[in-house]
Amino acid sequence: MATPSSSSLGVPSPGFLSPRYRVLLAGVFSQILCIGVARFAYTPLLPVMQQQTWLSDAQGGWLAALNYAGYMFGALLAASIHSIRLKDTLYRLTLVLAVLSTAGMALADSFWLWAGMRFVAGFSSSGAMLLASGLILHWLISHRQRGELGIHFAGVGLGMLVAALAVELMLRLAFDWQAQWWGFTVLAMVLLMPAWRWLPRPMKPAQGAGVSTPRAAIPPNRTFMRLMLAAYFCAGYGYVISATFIVAIVEREPLLVGAGNWTFALVGLAAAPAVMVWDLIARRFGYLGALIAAMALQVVGIVLPALTQSLAGVLISAVLYGGTFLGCVSLVLTMAGRLYPQSPARMMGRMTLAYGTAQIVAPALTGMLAEATGHYYTGLWLAGGFVALGALLLIWLRAVDQTAQRLDAEAKVGVA
């Protein structure tokens, strides 16, 4: 498959890299832009904005909920599009929207402006998570390469790390909340270029080019979809609480003031290689087996800050949470790619609706609980309980469903 030889954005093609790694790195940069900056810059900036503006716990939760509402809208749109070229066009639009929504946060301290920008940022993040991952899976499978997304999803962890370190640096430079959002806008413009340039536009393979046709879809049965959707809803509820509030939770503890951004950086550092690790675990225990293990560890990571306020406990929590949440997402999306090789977004969209619905409900509820009680502990226990329930549903699914058993078997033998 030929790659474009020029770019309207003027970014040189990294000729020393193979086509596979150019495609994967385009995904990494899209994740850092759409997830790390447009989405996750809000997490370390939330306590800064609360200190310097009128933003309350409840309002902070509602802004996070609107972000995930935008993400869910993007998931619906991605699931409804069948043209690979149209998906590519929408992917590139989401890259631009990630930059614009980041800049929009700096324009004024207006709740409704922020609400609109968080919604747009959420929509843009669906481009990196769903459209980019689908385009990359399509390219990999079409070129007879293993359909794993570990390197692509490493960009989420790297984005979290970048966001945390950037906020810490800008705080040391005495930037206020507004200047920090402008700083992130500059970073977003830089990230846009390789994310756009290095992912080739879908092209019809030339006759005799040696590109294989993806295998036909094998749709899962109703039992599989119902239990998987319920389990993924539970995973989404657990994921979003720490993703949104972990810095605020840490900074609220008198003995941990100043450790919030470093904790979030550790989450990103643990998340960066995590997907590749879970890919390897899936080869040994199957997709469902790996997903159950990831969710069980995530329960511990979520509830630990409610059990202990020590620095060691918080850091262990960060590692367990960061090392598992992306693994859950990647394993589910990889299963979607295996079940629908020619159109992974068909299942990805449905799964993300379940995941996204939880992410709308959970931060709004947690923010209101925090404002009412003065702490986030109740929200953490609820999140941990949901993830534990999801793991139990997956154990049941793995025991009774042939689709789940077949997916596990394919993971173990490395079927391409």
Side-chain angles (χ1 to χ4, degrees), residues 114-140:
W114 288 347
M117 292 302 99
R118 297 318 296 156
F119 184 89
V120 173
F123 178 80
S124 76
S125 66
S126 70
M129 289 296 289
L130 296 177
L131 295 168
S133 57
L135 291 166
I136 290 168
L137 267 178
H138 181 271
W139 190 94
L140 292 172

PDB file of all heavy atoms in Angstrom, residues 114-140:
ATOM      1  N   TRP A 114     -17.080  26.489  28.702  1.00  0.00           N
ATOM      2  CA  TRP A 114     -16.340  25.284  29.073  1.00  0.00           C
ATOM      3  C   TRP A 114     -17.148  24.033  28.778  1.00  0.00           C
ATOM      4  O   TRP A 114     -16.604  23.023  28.325  1.00  0.00           O
ATOM      5  CB  TRP A 114     -15.978  25.337  30.551  1.00  0.00           C
ATOM      6  CG  TRP A 114     -14.906  26.338  30.864  1.00  0.00           C
ATOM      7  CD1 TRP A 114     -14.097  26.976  29.977  1.00  0.00           C
ATOM      8  CD2 TRP A 114     -14.526  26.802  32.160  1.00  0.00           C
ATOM      9  NE1 TRP A 114     -13.237  27.823  30.634  1.00  0.00           N
ATOM     10  CE2 TRP A 114     -13.475  27.733  31.982  1.00  0.00           C
ATOM     11  CE3 TRP A 114     -14.983  26.532  33.452  1.00  0.00           C
ATOM     12  CZ2 TRP A 114     -12.866  28.383  33.049  1.00  0.00           C
ATOM     13  CZ3 TRP A 114     -14.376  27.174  34.514  1.00  0.00           C
ATOM     14  CH2 TRP A 114     -13.325  28.093  34.324  1.00  0.00           C
ATOM     15  N   ALA A 115     -18.456  24.080  29.037  1.00  0.00           N
ATOM     16  CA  ALA A 115     -19.306  22.921  28.772  1.00  0.00           C
ATOM     17  C   ALA A 115     -19.270  22.563  27.286  1.00  0.00           C
ATOM     18  O   ALA A 115     -19.129  21.386  26.921  1.00  0.00           O
ATOM     19  CB  ALA A 115     -20.741  23.216  29.212  1.00  0.00           C
ATOM     20  N   GLY A 116     -19.386  23.571  26.428  1.00  0.00           N
ATOM     21  CA  GLY A 116     -19.327  23.317  24.995  1.00  0.00           C
ATOM     22  C   GLY A 116     -17.981  22.772  24.557  1.00  0.00           C
ATOM     23  O   GLY A 116     -17.899  21.833  23.752  1.00  0.00           O
ATOM     24  N   MET A 117     -16.916  23.327  25.105  1.00  0.00           N
ATOM     25  CA  MET A 117     -15.574  22.877  24.732  1.00  0.00           C
ATOM     26  C   MET A 117     -15.285  21.465  25.237  1.00  0.00           C
ATOM     27  O   MET A 117     -14.637  20.667  24.555  1.00  0.00           O
ATOM     28  CB  MET A 117     -14.526  23.848  25.275  1.00  0.00           C
ATOM     29  CG  MET A 117     -14.537  25.223  24.626  1.00  0.00           C
ATOM     30  SD  MET A 117     -14.295  25.199  22.816  1.00  0.00           S
ATOM     31  CE  MET A 117     -16.007  25.363  22.246  1.00  0.00           C
ATOM     32  N   ARG A 118     -15.794  21.130  26.429  1.00  0.00           N
ATOM     33  CA  ARG A 118     -15.585  19.762  26.936  1.00  0.00           C
ATOM     34  C   ARG A 118     -16.348  18.756  26.075  1.00  0.00           C
ATOM     35  O   ARG A 118     -15.891  17.642  25.847  1.00  0.00           O
ATOM     36  CB  ARG A 118     -16.017  19.634  28.404  1.00  0.00           C
ATOM     37  CG  ARG A 118     -15.240  20.488  29.394  1.00  0.00           C
ATOM     38  CD  ARG A 118     -13.752  20.498  29.127  1.00  0.00           C
ATOM     39  NE  ARG A 118     -13.150  19.169  29.301  1.00  0.00           N
ATOM     40  CZ  ARG A 118     -12.023  18.787  28.719  1.00  0.00           C
ATOM     41  NH1 ARG A 118     -11.371  19.605  27.919  1.00  0.00           N
ATOM     42  NH2 ARG A 118     -11.551  17.588  28.938  1.00  0.00           N
ATOM     43  N   PHE A 119     -17.541  19.154  25.608  1.00  0.00           N
ATOM     44  CA  PHE A 119     -18.305  18.270  24.723  1.00  0.00           C
ATOM     45  C   PHE A 119     -17.541  18.042  23.417  1.00  0.00           C
ATOM     46  O   PHE A 119     -17.412  16.909  22.947  1.00  0.00           O
ATOM     47  CB  PHE A 119     -19.679  18.874  24.440  1.00  0.00           C
ATOM     48  CG  PHE A 119     -20.569  17.995  23.610  1.00  0.00           C
ATOM     49  CD1 PHE A 119     -21.403  17.060  24.211  1.00  0.00           C
ATOM     50  CD2 PHE A 119     -20.568  18.092  22.217  1.00  0.00           C
ATOM     51  CE1 PHE A 119     -22.228  16.240  23.439  1.00  0.00           C
ATOM     52  CE2 PHE A 119     -21.376  17.275  21.443  1.00  0.00           C
ATOM     53  CZ  PHE A 119     -22.209  16.347  22.057  1.00  0.00           C
ATOM     54  N   VAL A 120     -17.030  19.128  22.831  1.00  0.00           N
ATOM     55  CA  VAL A 120     -16.279  19.006  21.571  1.00  0.00           C
ATOM     56  C   VAL A 120     -15.005  18.192  21.786  1.00  0.00           C
ATOM     57  O   VAL A 120     -14.626  17.357  20.949  1.00  0.00           O
ATOM     58  CB  VAL A 120     -15.960  20.403  21.004  1.00  0.00           C
ATOM     59  CG1 VAL A 120     -15.036  20.301  19.790  1.00  0.00           C
ATOM     60  CG2 VAL A 120     -17.241  21.135  20.626  1.00  0.00           C
ATOM     61  N   ALA A 121     -14.328  18.423  22.912  1.00  0.00           N
ATOM     62  CA  ALA A 121     -13.124  17.644  23.208  1.00  0.00           C
ATOM     63  C   ALA A 121     -13.454  16.160  23.333  1.00  0.00           C
ATOM     64  O   ALA A 121     -12.689  15.301  22.877  1.00  0.00           O
ATOM     65  CB  ALA A 121     -12.476  18.150  24.495  1.00  0.00           C
ATOM     66  N   GLY A 122     -14.600  15.849  23.955  1.00  0.00           N
ATOM     67  CA  GLY A 122     -15.011  14.456  24.050  1.00  0.00           C
ATOM     68  C   GLY A 122     -15.274  13.856  22.688  1.00  0.00           C
ATOM     69  O   GLY A 122     -14.886  12.718  22.410  1.00  0.00           O
ATOM     70  N   PHE A 123     -15.935  14.628  21.827  1.00  0.00           N
ATOM     71  CA  PHE A 123     -16.167  14.155  20.462  1.00  0.00           C
ATOM     72  C   PHE A 123     -14.839  13.888  19.758  1.00  0.00           C
ATOM     73  O   PHE A 123     -14.675  12.869  19.081  1.00  0.00           O
ATOM     74  CB  PHE A 123     -16.976  15.190  19.693  1.00  0.00           C
ATOM     75  CG  PHE A 123     -17.221  14.827  18.258  1.00  0.00           C
ATOM     76  CD1 PHE A 123     -18.226  13.932  17.932  1.00  0.00           C
ATOM     77  CD2 PHE A 123     -16.447  15.359  17.244  1.00  0.00           C
ATOM     78  CE1 PHE A 123     -18.455  13.586  16.593  1.00  0.00           C
ATOM     79  CE2 PHE A 123     -16.660  15.010  15.924  1.00  0.00           C
ATOM     80  CZ  PHE A 123     -17.668  14.126  15.588  1.00  0.00           C
ATOM     81  N   SER A 124     -13.873  14.785  19.932  1.00  0.00           N
ATOM     82  CA  SER A 124     -12.584  14.606  19.267  1.00  0.00           C
ATOM     83  C   SER A 124     -11.852  13.371  19.781  1.00  0.00           C
ATOM     84  O   SER A 124     -11.159  12.685  19.030  1.00  0.00           O
ATOM     85  CB  SER A 124     -11.707  15.854  19.456  1.00  0.00           C
ATOM     86  OG  SER A 124     -11.162  15.913  20.759  1.00  0.00           O
ATOM     87  N   SER A 125     -12.018  13.055  21.061  1.00  0.00           N
ATOM     88  CA  SER A 125     -11.317  11.906  21.615  1.00  0.00           C
ATOM     89  C   SER A 125     -11.822  10.593  21.025  1.00  0.00           C
ATOM     90  O   SER A 125     -11.077   9.606  20.976  1.00  0.00           O
ATOM     91  CB  SER A 125     -11.426  11.886  23.139  1.00  0.00           C
ATOM     92  OG  SER A 125     -12.754  11.684  23.562  1.00  0.00           O
ATOM     93  N   SER A 126     -13.077  10.577  20.550  1.00  0.00           N
ATOM     94  CA  SER A 126     -13.573   9.368  19.891  1.00  0.00           C
ATOM     95  C   SER A 126     -12.811   9.105  18.596  1.00  0.00           C
ATOM     96  O   SER A 126     -12.727   7.961  18.145  1.00  0.00           O
ATOM     97  CB  SER A 126     -15.075   9.496  19.603  1.00  0.00           C
ATOM     98  OG  SER A 126     -15.325  10.457  18.585  1.00  0.00           O
ATOM     99  N   GLY A 127     -12.251  10.166  18.000  1.00  0.00           N
ATOM    100  CA  GLY A 127     -11.473   9.978  16.787  1.00  0.00           C
ATOM    101  C   GLY A 127     -10.233   9.146  17.025  1.00  0.00           C
ATOM    102  O   GLY A 127      -9.904   8.234  16.251  1.00  0.00           O
ATOM    103  N   ALA A 128      -9.521   9.431  18.117  1.00  0.00           N
ATOM    104  CA  ALA A 128      -8.305   8.677  18.418  1.00  0.00           C
ATOM    105  C   ALA A 128      -8.626   7.285  18.933  1.00  0.00           C
ATOM    106  O   ALA A 128      -7.943   6.310  18.591  1.00  0.00           O
ATOM    107  CB  ALA A 128      -7.458   9.438  19.442  1.00  0.00           C
ATOM    108  N   MET A 129      -9.665   7.156  19.764  1.00  0.00           N
ATOM    109  CA  MET A 129      -9.965   5.878  20.375  1.00  0.00           C
ATOM    110  C   MET A 129     -10.657   4.918  19.421  1.00  0.00           C
ATOM    111  O   MET A 129     -10.354   3.733  19.402  1.00  0.00           O
ATOM    112  CB  MET A 129     -10.846   6.083  21.615  1.00  0.00           C
ATOM    113  CG  MET A 129     -10.117   6.714  22.775  1.00  0.00           C
ATOM    114  SD  MET A 129      -8.786   5.697  23.443  1.00  0.00           S
ATOM    115  CE  MET A 129      -9.727   4.406  24.237  1.00  0.00           C
ATOM    116  N   LEU A 130     -11.596   5.416  18.623  1.00  0.00           N
ATOM    117  CA  LEU A 130     -12.402   4.533  17.783  1.00  0.00           C
ATOM    118  C   LEU A 130     -12.008   4.598  16.317  1.00  0.00           C
ATOM    119  O   LEU A 130     -11.687   3.577  15.708  1.00  0.00           O
ATOM    120  CB  LEU A 130     -13.880   4.887  17.930  1.00  0.00           C
ATOM    121  CG  LEU A 130     -14.459   4.675  19.322  1.00  0.00           C
ATOM    122  CD1 LEU A 130     -15.904   5.137  19.362  1.00  0.00           C
ATOM    123  CD2 LEU A 130     -14.363   3.220  19.723  1.00  0.00           C
ATOM    124  N   LEU A 131     -12.020   5.799  15.735  1.00  0.00           N
ATOM    125  CA  LEU A 131     -11.733   5.902  14.318  1.00  0.00           C
ATOM    126  C   LEU A 131     -10.280   5.540  14.002  1.00  0.00           C
ATOM    127  O   LEU A 131     -10.017   4.732  13.102  1.00  0.00           O
ATOM    128  CB  LEU A 131     -12.053   7.319  13.834  1.00  0.00           C
ATOM    129  CG  LEU A 131     -13.532   7.695  13.908  1.00  0.00           C
ATOM    130  CD1 LEU A 131     -13.718   9.195  13.705  1.00  0.00           C
ATOM    131  CD2 LEU A 131     -14.346   6.913  12.881  1.00  0.00           C
ATOM    132  N   ALA A 132      -9.343   6.105  14.752  1.00  0.00           N
ATOM    133  CA  ALA A 132      -7.944   5.788  14.491  1.00  0.00           C
ATOM    134  C   ALA A 132      -7.654   4.316  14.736  1.00  0.00           C
ATOM    135  O   ALA A 132      -6.980   3.662  13.935  1.00  0.00           O
ATOM    136  CB  ALA A 132      -7.032   6.662  15.353  1.00  0.00           C
ATOM    137  N   SER A 133      -8.167   3.775  15.839  1.00  0.00           N
ATOM    138  CA  SER A 133      -7.907   2.369  16.124  1.00  0.00           C
ATOM    139  C   SER A 133      -8.529   1.480  15.050  1.00  0.00           C
ATOM    140  O   SER A 133      -7.923   0.486  14.630  1.00  0.00           O
ATOM    141  CB  SER A 133      -8.434   1.994  17.509  1.00  0.00           C
ATOM    142  OG  SER A 133      -9.812   2.268  17.625  1.00  0.00           O
ATOM    143  N   GLY A 134      -9.729   1.851  14.566  1.00  0.00           N
ATOM    144  CA  GLY A 134     -10.346   1.077  13.495  1.00  0.00           C
ATOM    145  C   GLY A 134      -9.569   1.169  12.200  1.00  0.00           C
ATOM    146  O   GLY A 134      -9.357   0.158  11.506  1.00  0.00           O
ATOM    147  N   LEU A 135      -9.114   2.374  11.852  1.00  0.00           N
ATOM    148  CA  LEU A 135      -8.320   2.544  10.636  1.00  0.00           C
ATOM    149  C   LEU A 135      -7.004   1.781  10.724  1.00  0.00           C
ATOM    150  O   LEU A 135      -6.559   1.164   9.745  1.00  0.00           O
ATOM    151  CB  LEU A 135      -8.055   4.036  10.393  1.00  0.00           C
ATOM    152  CG  LEU A 135      -9.269   4.890   9.998  1.00  0.00           C
ATOM    153  CD1 LEU A 135      -8.936   6.371  10.120  1.00  0.00           C
ATOM    154  CD2 LEU A 135      -9.733   4.560   8.578  1.00  0.00           C
ATOM    155  N   ILE A 136      -6.386   1.813  11.894  1.00  0.00           N
ATOM    156  CA  ILE A 136      -5.116   1.118  12.067  1.00  0.00           C
ATOM    157  C   ILE A 136      -5.313  -0.397  12.028  1.00  0.00           C
ATOM    158  O   ILE A 136      -4.540  -1.126  11.379  1.00  0.00           O
ATOM    159  CB  ILE A 136      -4.438   1.557  13.385  1.00  0.00           C
ATOM    160  CG1 ILE A 136      -3.963   3.012  13.249  1.00  0.00           C
ATOM    161  CG2 ILE A 136      -3.269   0.644  13.751  1.00  0.00           C
ATOM    162  CD1 ILE A 136      -3.552   3.647  14.558  1.00  0.00           C
ATOM    163  N   LEU A 137      -6.359  -0.891  12.707  1.00  0.00           N
ATOM    164  CA  LEU A 137      -6.648  -2.327  12.641  1.00  0.00           C
ATOM    165  C   LEU A 137      -6.915  -2.763  11.208  1.00  0.00           C
ATOM    166  O   LEU A 137      -6.441  -3.815  10.763  1.00  0.00           O
ATOM    167  CB  LEU A 137      -7.861  -2.645  13.512  1.00  0.00           C
ATOM    168  CG  LEU A 137      -7.612  -3.066  14.958  1.00  0.00           C
ATOM    169  CD1 LEU A 137      -8.942  -3.283  15.657  1.00  0.00           C
ATOM    170  CD2 LEU A 137      -6.757  -4.310  15.043  1.00  0.00           C
ATOM    171  N   HIS A 138      -7.660  -1.973  10.463  1.00  0.00           N
ATOM    172  CA  HIS A 138      -7.950  -2.282   9.065  1.00  0.00           C
ATOM    173  C   HIS A 138      -6.654  -2.382   8.270  1.00  0.00           C
ATOM    174  O   HIS A 138      -6.464  -3.305   7.465  1.00  0.00           O
ATOM    175  CB  HIS A 138      -8.874  -1.205   8.483  1.00  0.00           C
ATOM    176  CG  HIS A 138      -9.248  -1.441   7.050  1.00  0.00           C
ATOM    177  ND1 HIS A 138      -8.489  -0.967   6.009  1.00  0.00           N
ATOM    178  CD2 HIS A 138     -10.294  -2.110   6.493  1.00  0.00           C
ATOM    179  CE1 HIS A 138      -9.050  -1.317   4.864  1.00  0.00           C
ATOM    180  NE2 HIS A 138     -10.146  -2.003   5.131  1.00  0.00           N
ATOM    181  N   TRP A 139      -5.762  -1.427   8.485  1.00  0.00           N
ATOM    182  CA  TRP A 139      -4.486  -1.437   7.756  1.00  0.00           C
ATOM    183  C   TRP A 139      -3.642  -2.653   8.141  1.00  0.00           C
ATOM    184  O   TRP A 139      -3.077  -3.330   7.277  1.00  0.00           O
ATOM    185  CB  TRP A 139      -3.726  -0.142   8.057  1.00  0.00           C
ATOM    186  CG  TRP A 139      -2.526   0.057   7.172  1.00  0.00           C
ATOM    187  CD1 TRP A 139      -2.467   0.764   6.007  1.00  0.00           C
ATOM    188  CD2 TRP A 139      -1.198  -0.450   7.394  1.00  0.00           C
ATOM    189  NE1 TRP A 139      -1.202   0.724   5.481  1.00  0.00           N
ATOM    190  CE2 TRP A 139      -0.397  -0.015   6.309  1.00  0.00           C
ATOM    191  CE3 TRP A 139      -0.622  -1.226   8.386  1.00  0.00           C
ATOM    192  CZ2 TRP A 139       0.951  -0.339   6.200  1.00  0.00           C
ATOM    193  CZ3 TRP A 139       0.721  -1.560   8.280  1.00  0.00           C
ATOM    194  CH2 TRP A 139       1.506  -1.119   7.204  1.00  0.00           C
ATOM    195  N   LEU A 140      -3.557  -2.945   9.431  1.00  0.00           N
ATOM    196  CA  LEU A 140      -2.733  -4.072   9.887  1.00  0.00           C
ATOM    197  C   LEU A 140      -3.248  -5.400   9.359  1.00  0.00           C
ATOM    198  O   LEU A 140      -2.486  -6.217   8.826  1.00  0.00           O
ATOM    199  CB  LEU A 140      -2.692  -4.101  11.423  1.00  0.00           C
ATOM    200  CG  LEU A 140      -1.940  -2.965  12.124  1.00  0.00           C
ATOM    201  CD1 LEU A 140      -2.158  -3.047  13.628  1.00  0.00           C
ATOM    202  CD2 LEU A 140      -0.456  -3.007  11.796  1.00  0.00           C
TER     203      LEU A 140
END
